């Protein structure tokens, strides 16, 4: 188990190094797709940290991502604070928010949690626009930095690597083990002595931290930010889809889902801009009925049956 | 007083859609997150028939109800029954049904956007009337009356008829209901279909006084869920009280502070329920 | 409540579900190294009583103390950490984990914190203890029914419980398996463990228990050594109805 664990880590490190060269090889269109893909890889890998083992479907990514983007924008635009300060503060705010949400909902059944996160981005968007309209003046916010697409890409890659490394450690730690037990059977978890709320809340906070960090780092890409646009409920769903499509049973599952999905998504968005919602719906149905354990799960099934046949 | 009257009138339709969701979640055990889209479909039908053929929304109800019943019945048989069969635990069924109904929700929004991407704006019975000293639009009052009528009929059906009792038996205990000879899959399908039909009818009614669009369903799903949880899953009486609370609070917030904050107000209530009474208003603490 | 020397003291434990009183003012003690049988007809409240002890349910009234310290109203995980381990009436395993991991789960979060090598070695010992070592790396789906029961027991033993609750652990076993099962509990008894046994298998009760509490409709109707208790007229009536008594 340990040997294969380090092997996995080495492969991941190699991939990160290779991925770091992408901005040298391409620019313009393909780089911009790479930035989008890297953003979703970071988001859905951090989503899997929590939702993979517990099977709690979090739709809060859009809210945390929005908190990250909005705080950077308002900090730089309204208060003249530096990007770095805001990029550091935003994840902390999101982590606190996640802790509060987690404490309120994660002690209860998973359904309440899903429902609570379902409207979260929309609700925060409403509050932010209300505050913006009534107290701060309704106008767009500027995020002006010297970053190029390549810089943003490398920052996102760094975040992804950090998420992965953290996840690798979590999977080998008591808290990760506790989370797997909870995902299997919460009653058993309590009866082996696990205080089930704690690990859930902690991992959910981690997810919130990284989603906000990604939101903060990607903000300079848009330079002009409407508070209304950064809190996107759609983003939460895209993160869930990509993570599940790849397979949430493995930390590297989402990568397998993100890359093809981003490419197809770009194609659909350009060719059939009015059918994107329908497309999301169809992919959800495909996952539930065709790939309940994602592409990775299906591959592992195939590998297992091949092994069985060879042994037989 | 204004707030009280409009809040109560709004609560009528909220209660109706929450009853629909309650049947689907409480009886068929399907957490249907496409519930709001069923509502919007009902609204779209009312709008489209009115604008194209000048059909009164009150007549449209008689078309919407059976069509939605049949559609939801098919959805249950084709898409949801297989999930119920393959799931090994209630938890897994919940995750599966949430994801599947998300899929349906998005697919339905996509289809509706391509039918009519604009707001569903039309004028029906919009003349003002005076009610308890306040002025409200007639359409709100009519929608309220019809909602109360349907909710009342549903309540009587559930409590006074044989199939209604069977539905409630499945809600209380699926396994025991099966043991006493109730055809659980059939009752579940019927409950799911009725739930969908009731919700769609609620949508037709709401569309007479609130302007909807194809993608607003999720907001209504949210509200229906909050009402159902506040009232206690499977508790019709609780759902009615919860609908009134939500209707009043939303109207108060919209009038006194800002219409953009109604969802935030709903969330505040939701949070209070989760923290203090997760078992619902009338629910006993489930231990 | 004073520490009376009993490992577990139950005083006036009551559980109501709406109008139904599932456990009605139950009193009993379990001394150290004692094996106590909790018996009674179906629906008499035995499993509810087990749930009250393990914290799966909270009592409506009354108190339960472990070695003199009150444990009623604590959450299940806290009661586990204080040394109460239980099996479930319908076996509960962790299906996506291997046999070994299932046992490690019991070893890690109990009142002794083990991790890594130590937890693994401990888990292997527990598997040996219940005779399942050969299956250590198998998936759960490969286990027979008695092996699943053994595995659940190994998981509970891995937490070093001071008090072991076995809820119909022998139910559903075929005659050969039953023999193996009774022998296994016999060995546990030989180790001097304190055990509460909910059981319908009367042979097991006779040969394993030092003491018995008989429940009927939530109440305690008899208590004493198994042979006496099972001959008691009221107990026979509770099980078989009036005419046969």
């Amino acid at each position: 188990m340990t040997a294969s664990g380090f092997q996995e880590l080495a492969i991941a490190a190699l991939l990160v190094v290779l991925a770091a060269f992408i901005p040298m090889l391409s620019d313009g269109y393909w780089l911009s797709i790479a930035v989008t893909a890297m953003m979703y890889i970071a988001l859905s890998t951090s989503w899997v940290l929590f939702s993979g083992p517990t099977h709690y479907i979090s739709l809060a990514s859009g809210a945390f991502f929005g908190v990250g983007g909005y705080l950077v924008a308002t900090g730089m635009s309204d208060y003249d604070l530096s990007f770095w300060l805001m990029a550091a503060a935003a994840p902390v705010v999101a982590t606190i928010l996640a802790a509060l949400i987690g404490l309120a909902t994660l002690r209860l059944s998973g359904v309440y949690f899903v429902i609570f996160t379902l409207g979260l981005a929309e609700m925060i968007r409403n509050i932010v626009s209300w505050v913006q309209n009534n107290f701060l003046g309704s106008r767009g916010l500027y995020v002006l930095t010297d970053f190029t697409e390549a810089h943003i890409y490398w920052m996102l890659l760094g975040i992804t690597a950090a998420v992965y490394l953290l996840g690798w450690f979590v999977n080998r730690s008591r808290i990760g083990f506790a989370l797997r037990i909870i995902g299997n059977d919460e009653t058993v978890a309590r009866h082996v002595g696990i205080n089930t709320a704690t690990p859930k809340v902690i991992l959910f906070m981690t997810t919130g931290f990284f989603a906000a960090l990604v939101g903060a780092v990607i903000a300079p890409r848009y330079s002009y930010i409407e508070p209304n646009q950064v809190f996107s409920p759609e983003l939460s769903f895209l993160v869930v889809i990509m993570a599940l499509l790849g397979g949430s049973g493995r930390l590297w599952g989402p990568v397998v889902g993100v890359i093809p999905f981003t490419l197809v998504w770009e194609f659909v968005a350009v060719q059939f801009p009015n059918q994107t919602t329908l497309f999301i719906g169809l992919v959800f149905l495909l996952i539930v009925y065709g790939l309940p354990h994602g592409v990775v799960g299906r591959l592992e099934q195939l590998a297992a049956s091949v092994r069985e046949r060879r042994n037989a | 007083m204004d707030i009280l009257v409009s809040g109560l009138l709004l609560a009528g339709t909220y209660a109706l859609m929450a009853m629909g969701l309650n049947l689907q979640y409480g009886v068929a055990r399907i957490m249907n997150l496409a519930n709001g889209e069923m509502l919007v479909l009902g609204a779209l039908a009312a709008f489209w028939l009115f604008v194209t053929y000048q059909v009164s929304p009150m007549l449209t109800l008689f078309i919407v109800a059976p069509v939605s019943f049949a559609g939801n019945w098919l959805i249950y048989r084709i898409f949801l029954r297989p999930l119920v069969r393959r799931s090994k635990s209630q938890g897994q069924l919940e995750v599966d049904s949430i994801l599947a109904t998300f899929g349906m929700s998005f697919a339905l929004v996509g289809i509706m956007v391509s039918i009519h991407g604009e707001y569903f704006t039309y004028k029906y019975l919009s003349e003002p009337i005076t009610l308890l000293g306040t002025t409200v639009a007639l359409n709100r009052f009519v929608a309220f009356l019809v909602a109360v009528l349907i909710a009342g009929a549903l309540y009587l059906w559930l409590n006074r008829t044989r199939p209604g009792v069977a539905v409630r038996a499945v809600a209380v205990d699926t396994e025991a209901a099966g043991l006493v000879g109730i055809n659980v899959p059939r009752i579940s399908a019927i409950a799911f279909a009725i739930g969908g039909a009731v919700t769609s009818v609620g949508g037709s009614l709401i569309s007479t006084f609130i302007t909807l669009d194809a993608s607003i369903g999720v907001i209504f799903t949210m509200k229906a869920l909050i009402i159902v949880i506040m009232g206690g899953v499977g508790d019709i009486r609780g759902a009615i009280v919860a609908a009134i609370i939500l209707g009043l609070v939303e109207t108060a917030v919209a009038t006194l502070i800002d219409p953009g904050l109604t969802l935030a107000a709903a969330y505040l209530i939701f949070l209070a329920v989760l923290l203090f009474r997760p078992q619902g208003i009338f629910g006993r603490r489930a231990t | 409540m004073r520490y009376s020397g009993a490992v577990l003291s139950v005083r006036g434990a009551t559980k109501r579900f709406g109008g139904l009183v599932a456990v009605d003012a139950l009193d009993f003690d379990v001394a150290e190294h004692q094996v106590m049988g909790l018996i009674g007809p179906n629906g008499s409240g035995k499993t509810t009583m087990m749930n009250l002890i393990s914290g799966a349910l909270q009592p409506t009234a009354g108190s339960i103390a472990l070695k003199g310290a009150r444990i009623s109203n604590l959450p299940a995980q806290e009661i586990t950490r204080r040394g109460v381990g239980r099996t479930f009436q319908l076996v509960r395993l962790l299906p996506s984990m291997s046999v070994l991991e299932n046992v490690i789960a019991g070893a890690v979060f109990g009142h002794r914190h083990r991790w890594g090598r130590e937890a693994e070695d401990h888990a292997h010992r527990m598997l040996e203890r219940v005779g399942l070592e050969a299956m250590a790396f198998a998936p759960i789906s490969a286990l027979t029914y008695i092996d699943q029961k053994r595995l659940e027991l190994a998981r509970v033993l891995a937490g070093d419980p001071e008090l072991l609750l076995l809820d119909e652990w022998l139910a559903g076993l075929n005659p050969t398996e039953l023999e193996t099962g009774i022998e296994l509990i016999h060995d546990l008894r030989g180790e001097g463990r304190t055990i509460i046994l909910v059981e319908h298998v009367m042979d097991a009760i006779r040969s394993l228990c030092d003491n018995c509490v008989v429940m009927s409709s939530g109440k305690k109707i008899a208590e004493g050594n198994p042979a006496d208790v099972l001959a008691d007229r009221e107990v026979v009536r509770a099980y078989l109805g009036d005419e046969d008594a």
Side-chain angles (χ1 to χ4, degrees), chain A residues 55-57 59 100 103-105 107-124 126-127 130 133-134 233-234 237 240 244 274-282 284-285 287-290 292-293, chain B residues 25 31 33 78-80 82-83 86 94-111 113-114 218-219 221-222 225-226 229 233 257-258 260-265 267-268 270-271 274-275 278-279:
Chain A
H55 309 301
Y56 278 70
I57 298 164
L59 292 167
L100 296 176
L103 287 173
T105 57
R107 294 171 304 134
L108 305 164
S109 105
V111 181
Y112 293 166
F113 173 75
V114 184
I115 297 167
F116 198 88
T117 58
L118 169 63
L120 193 65
E122 182 69 26
M123 182 205 55
I124 295 181
N126 289 348
I127 292 180
W130 179 69
N133 290 336
N134 288 280
E234 191 183 79
F237 287 97
V240 175
L244 294 178
N274 296 325
Q275 308 303 331
T276 51
T277 321
L278 180 60
F279 176 70
I280 292 180
L282 295 178
F284 256 119
L285 294 174
I287 291 170
V288 177
Y289 296 99
H293 302 287
Chain B
Y25 185 53
M31 177 43 81
L33 296 175
I78 297 171
F79 287 104
L80 300 173
L83 297 184
R86 87 175 184 198
E94 247 153 30
V95 172
D96 275 351
S97 60
I98 283 171
L99 293 175
T101 53
F102 269 149
M104 290 170 206
S105 152
F106 274 97
L108 286 172
V109 171
I111 293 167
V113 166
S114 55
V218 63
I219 300 290
T221 306
M222 237 3 256
L225 288 168
I226 291 175
I229 291 171
V233 174
I257 311 177
D258 190 308
L261 288 183
T262 50
L263 184 66
Y267 253 87
L268 203 65
F270 190 21
L271 195 62
L274 290 185
L275 291 178
Q279 71 277 30

Side-chain angles (χ1 to χ4, degrees), chain B residues 36-50 57 60 64 112 120 122 199-208 210-213 216 220:
Chain B
E37 276 64 42
M38 285 304 151
L39 179 132
V40 178
L41 270 176
L44 178 61
F47 160 78
W48 186 73
L49 285 173
F50 185 80
T60 305
V64 165
M112 286 190 289
F120 308 162
Y122 68 103
T199 307
S200 300
V201 166
S204 303
L205 292 175
I206 267 187
S207 75
T208 61
I210 295 181
T211 303
L212 305 179
D213 67 69
I216 201 151
F220 285 96

Side-chain angles (χ1 to χ4, degrees), chain A residues 96-108 113 197 200-201 204:
Chain A
I96 295 169
L97 183 65
L100 296 176
I101 297 166
L103 287 173
T105 57
L106 287 175
R107 294 171 304 134
L108 305 164
F113 173 75
K200 285 191 279 186
V201 173
F204 184 57

Side-chain angles (χ1 to χ4, degrees), chain B:
Chain B
M1 200 63 201
D2 282 6
I3 295 172
L4 210 61
V5 172
S6 345
L8 275 176
L9 293 184
L10 184 61
T13 22
Y14 278 2
L16 203 56
M17 71 190 194
M19 269 177 139
L21 189 69
N22 230 333
L23 280 172
Q24 298 187 324
Y25 185 53
V27 182
R29 303 289 197 278
I30 297 290
M31 177 43 81
N32 182 11
L33 296 175
N35 184 263
E37 276 64 42
M38 285 304 151
L39 179 132
V40 178
L41 270 176
L44 178 61
F47 160 78
W48 186 73
L49 285 173
F50 185 80
V51 172
T52 322
Y53 301 105
Q54 285 78 48
V55 180
S56 154
M58 295 307 139
L59 285 178
T60 305
L61 297 184
F62 293 95
I63 305 168
V64 165
V67 171
S68 179
F69 180 91
N72 277 282
W73 192 80
L74 286 176
I75 288 179
Y76 184 83
R77 298 304 306 203
I78 297 171
F79 287 104
L80 300 173
R81 185 74 197 141
L83 297 184
V84 176
R85 275 168 196 266
R86 87 175 184 198
S87 70
K88 293 185 200 83
S89 65
Q90 179 63 21
Q92 200 199 341
L93 176 60
E94 247 153 30
V95 172
D96 275 351
S97 60
I98 283 171
L99 293 175
T101 53
F102 269 149
M104 290 170 206
S105 152
F106 274 97
L108 286 172
V109 171
I111 293 167
M112 286 190 289
V113 166
S114 55
I115 295 174
H116 189 84
E118 319 278 306
Y119 285 108
F120 308 162
T121 325
Y122 68 103
K123 271 195 190 324
Y124 171 76
L125 295 182
S126 53
E127 54 268 32
I129 57 160
T130 312
L131 200 69
L132 297 172
T134 41
T135 318
V136 290
L138 180 57
N139 48 30
R140 276 179 185 263
F141 184 60
V142 171
F144 173 79
L145 285 184
V146 176
V148 169
L149 207 68
I150 295 173
L154 193 60
Y155 185 81
L156 286 180
W157 182 75
L158 283 173
N159 284 285
R160 294 274 187 312
T161 67
R162 248 184 102 80
V165 170
V167 166
R168 291 195 301 136
V170 175
V172 173
D173 189 334
T174 319
E175 252 172 67
L179 290 178
V180 298
I182 293 173
N183 185 344
V184 175
R186 197 177 125 83
I187 292 288
S188 297
I190 289 175
F192 189 86
I194 294 179
V198 166
T199 307
S200 300
V201 166
S204 303
L205 292 175
I206 267 187
S207 75
T208 61
F209 61 94
I210 295 181
T211 303
L212 305 179
D213 67 69
S215 57
I216 201 151
V218 63
I219 300 290
F220 285 96
T221 306
M222 237 3 256
K223 287 178 182 175
L225 288 168
I226 291 175
I227 294 170
V228 168
I229 291 171
M230 185 173 18
V233 174
D235 184 345
I236 300 250
R237 189 179 48 145
I240 292 169
V241 175
I244 293 173
I245 294 177
L246 187 70
L248 288 177
V249 171
E250 277 195 356
T251 314
V253 168
T255 329
L256 302 175
I257 311 177
D258 190 308
L261 288 183
T262 50
L263 184 66
Y267 253 87
L268 203 65
I269 297 178
F270 190 21
L271 195 62
V273 170
L274 290 185
L275 291 178
F276 303 113
R277 286 202 77 80
Q279 71 277 30
I281 298 177
F282 297 117
R284 274 193 298 271
R285 192 167 281 277
T287 43

